[in-house]
Amino acid sequence: MQQKRIPMGADILRFARLLRGYTQAESAAHYGVEERTLRRWENKEYSPRWNDVVGLVEDVYSLDILEVIGKINDDDTTNH
C-alpha cells in the first residue's frame, strides 16, 4: 500500500487554479496579491503560507482543500 503524501502548497495552488480554469492574473486579482507573487508561489520560487493556500483554494476557487489534496494524490497514483 502506497502512503499518500501531502502535496506542496505550489502544487495545490496550480492544481486548484487549473481545475477551475482561472488564469494566474484572475486568481491574484480575486485574492488581492500581485500576479508575480502567485506565479512565484506556483513555480516554487517562494513557499506560500498555508493560510494563503487555503484562502485561495477555498475562497477564490470555492473548493475544499482536503478534496483538492485527495484529487492530487489520486492523479499521482494514476500517473505512475
Side-chain angles (χ1 to χ4, degrees):
M1 181 171 165
Q2 182 178 352
Q3 183 175 349
K4 304 250 180 189
R5 68 174 184 85
I6 297 176
M8 293 180 61
D11 299 325
I12 295 169
L13 290 177
R14 181 179 300 272
F15 185 89
R17 179 176 61 77
L18 295 174
L19 190 64
R20 281 294 191 219
Y22 279 59
T23 65
Q24 287 179 333
E26 292 168 331
S27 300
H30 285 359
Y31 190 62
V33 295
E34 291 185 25
E35 180 182 354
R36 174 180 61 178
T37 300
L38 182 60
R39 185 173 53 248
R40 287 176 174 170
W41 286 344
E42 287 190 7
N43 290 333
K44 301 176 185 173
E45 294 174 34
Y46 294 103
S47 293
R49 295 178 307 174
W50 183 246
N51 61 329
D52 288 321
V53 174
V54 173
L56 270 157
V57 170
E58 295 194 345
D59 298 339
V60 175
Y61 306 133
S62 300
L63 297 167
D64 179 85
I65 189 74
L66 296 177
E67 288 180 17
V68 171
I69 291 170
K71 287 180 182 186
I72 291 171
N73 279 320
D74 288 346
D75 277 3
D76 283 350
T77 55
T78 346
N79 291 331
H80 286 107

